[in-house]
Amino acid sequence: MAVATLRPADALCGLRLGVSISDSADLGALGLLPRHAEFALAEIARSVLTGRGGLVYGGRVKPTGFTQFLMHEVERYGSHPDALWLCLAEPEHRMLSCDDLRTLDRSLGPHGRVVCLDPGGNEIDPGAVQNGSEPNAELNGHSDQRSYSAMRRRITDMSHARVLIGGRLTGFKGAMPGIIEEALYAVEAGQPLYVVAGFGGAAALVAQALDIDDLGWAADGFPKRPHDHRIDESLDRLRSTVRSTGWRPMSCGLDESALRQLSASSRPSQIASLVVNGLAQMRR
C-alpha cells in the first residue's frame, strides 16, 4: 500500500500533468463502475492542484463526461492561474457555437483556458473559426484522424508528464487507440508516464508493452480486446520506440515496486498518492 508523504504546499509548482482517460470495456469484469474511474481522476486532480501543479486535457464538451468532471475539480481546488488547459481538437470545437466556447471559457475563469486547435495542432482564435457545424463523417474521417493525432502531440508538448487510465480498444477515433498513441508520443519525447492498468483498457496493454506490469494479477483475456491489426501494430511501434530512444519507466520518479503498485491499483487514493509522489520526486 502506498503511503502519502508530506510535501511542501507548492511541491508541484510549474509542473503540468497531461491526463489521458477514457472508458474501458473491462470495468464490469473488474467489479468496477464508470464512476470509479471518475473517483481516480478526481483524486489525481485534487492532489496535483493543491500542490500548485497544472493539468492538460484533450477533451470533448458534447456529450458531457470527463471534461465537465475535471472542470468541477478545478472550480473547487484550482487556486492558481492555468490550473487546467482544456485542448479541443478541430472535430470537437467545430460542433460548438461561439457562445458555447465563451461559456466554457467563463466557466474556467482565471484558473484555466480553452485551447482550440486547427487540424495541424496549432492554436487558433476561437472567434476566427466557423463553429456550430455538424461533422460530415464521409468527408472528415481521415482529416479527423490527423486532427486528433495533432492534438495528442500538442498536449505532449504542453505537458511535463502524462497519466494513462482506461482507454477504448474499439470504436476509437484515429489510426490507433488514443491512449496508446499518447503513450507513444510521450516515449518519443522522453516524457515520464504514470500507467494505471487497474481499470483495464488500452492502458493495461501499454503497461504490458512497456514491461511495467505482466498483468499476472488479472484473469485470462484481460484486457478485453478485439483482433485488430491496428492495436498490434501500435504496440509494436511503442516497443520499438522504447528500444530506439532508451526511454525508462522509472524516469517518472517511482521505483519498480511503486510502478507495479500504480499499475495494478484501482484505489483512487493510492493512485493519486503514487502519481503525486512521483511528480514531486521528478521535480526535485
Side-chain angles (χ1 to χ4, degrees), residues 200-240:
L205 291 181
V206 170
Q208 192 175 47
L210 297 179
D211 291 327
I212 293 172
D213 191 341
D214 62 8
L215 306 182
W217 47 268
D220 291 342
F222 177 87
K224 183 179 179 181
R225 54 155 294 181
H227 294 290
D228 188 330
H229 69 91
R230 295 174 297 173
I231 297 175
D232 297 320
E233 290 169 0
S234 64
L235 293 170
D236 287 342
R237 184 176 167 188
L238 179 61
R239 295 185 191 97
S240 176

Side-chain angles (χ1 to χ4, degrees), residues 16-269:
R16 290 188 297 275
L17 177 67
V19 177
S20 301
I21 182 170
S22 64
D23 295 327
S24 160
D26 297 294
L27 293 177
L30 294 166
L32 301 172
L33 297 171
R35 68 170 180 264
H36 290 108
E38 291 182 346
F39 293 159
L41 176 61
E43 289 283 354
I44 292 169
R46 293 168 194 167
S47 299
V48 170
L49 294 172
T50 54
R52 297 190 63 81
L55 302 166
V56 186
Y57 180 60
R60 60 189 316 173
V61 179
K62 295 180 179 180
T64 58
F66 290 114
T67 297
Q68 287 75 13
F69 197 83
L70 261 182
M71 290 176 64
H72 178 67
E73 296 305 310
V74 169
E75 182 180 355
R76 296 175 65 191
Y77 299 99
S79 60
H80 56 289
D82 293 331
L84 172 64
W85 291 353
L86 177 60
C87 296
L88 300 179
E90 195 272 342
E92 300 299 333
H93 68 67
R94 75 173 174 229
M95 292 187 287
L96 304 176
S97 68
C98 291
D99 285 343
D100 289 335
L101 288 172
R102 282 193 288 267
T103 300
L104 192 63
D105 192 57
R106 284 196 299 269
S107 297
L108 284 172
H111 306 311
R113 65 189 186 100
V114 179
V115 181
C116 291
L117 303 175
D118 69 12
N122 303 299
E123 186 172 353
I124 55 176
D125 180 359
V129 296
Q130 293 184 347
N131 289 337
S133 62
E134 291 295 327
N136 183 311
E138 182 177 351
L139 294 177
N140 294 315
H142 293 297
S143 175
D144 286 359
Q145 285 189 8
R146 292 193 296 271
S147 296
Y148 286 115
S149 293
M151 177 197 68
R152 291 167 184 143
R153 284 194 181 276
R154 181 59 183 265
I155 289 176
T156 302
D157 294 339
M158 298 167 75
S159 308
H160 297 102
R162 190 187 284 268
V163 61
L164 309 178
I165 302 174
R168 292 183 179 183
L169 292 170
T170 59
F172 46 86
K173 296 180 177 181
M176 65 182 77
I179 279 185
I180 298 178
E181 187 172 28
E182 288 157 356
L184 174 64
Y185 294 157
V187 169
E188 286 179 345
Q191 188 177 91
L193 280 174
Y194 300 94
V195 187
V196 182
F199 295 94
L205 291 181
V206 170
Q208 192 175 47
L210 297 179
D211 291 327
I212 293 172
D213 191 341
D214 62 8
L215 306 182
W217 47 268
D220 291 342
F222 177 87
K224 183 179 179 181
R225 54 155 294 181
H227 294 290
D228 188 330
H229 69 91
R230 295 174 297 173
I231 297 175
D232 297 320
E233 290 169 0
S234 64
L235 293 170
D236 287 342
R237 184 176 167 188
L238 179 61
R239 295 185 191 97
S240 176
T241 303
V242 169
R243 290 192 296 269
S244 64
T245 61
W247 180 90
R248 296 174 63 251
M250 288 181 289
S251 64
C252 69
L254 299 177
D255 61 21
E256 290 183 13
S257 175
L259 280 170
R260 287 194 295 270
Q261 278 188 315
L262 174 64
S263 176
S265 182
S266 58
R267 294 175 54 195
S269 60

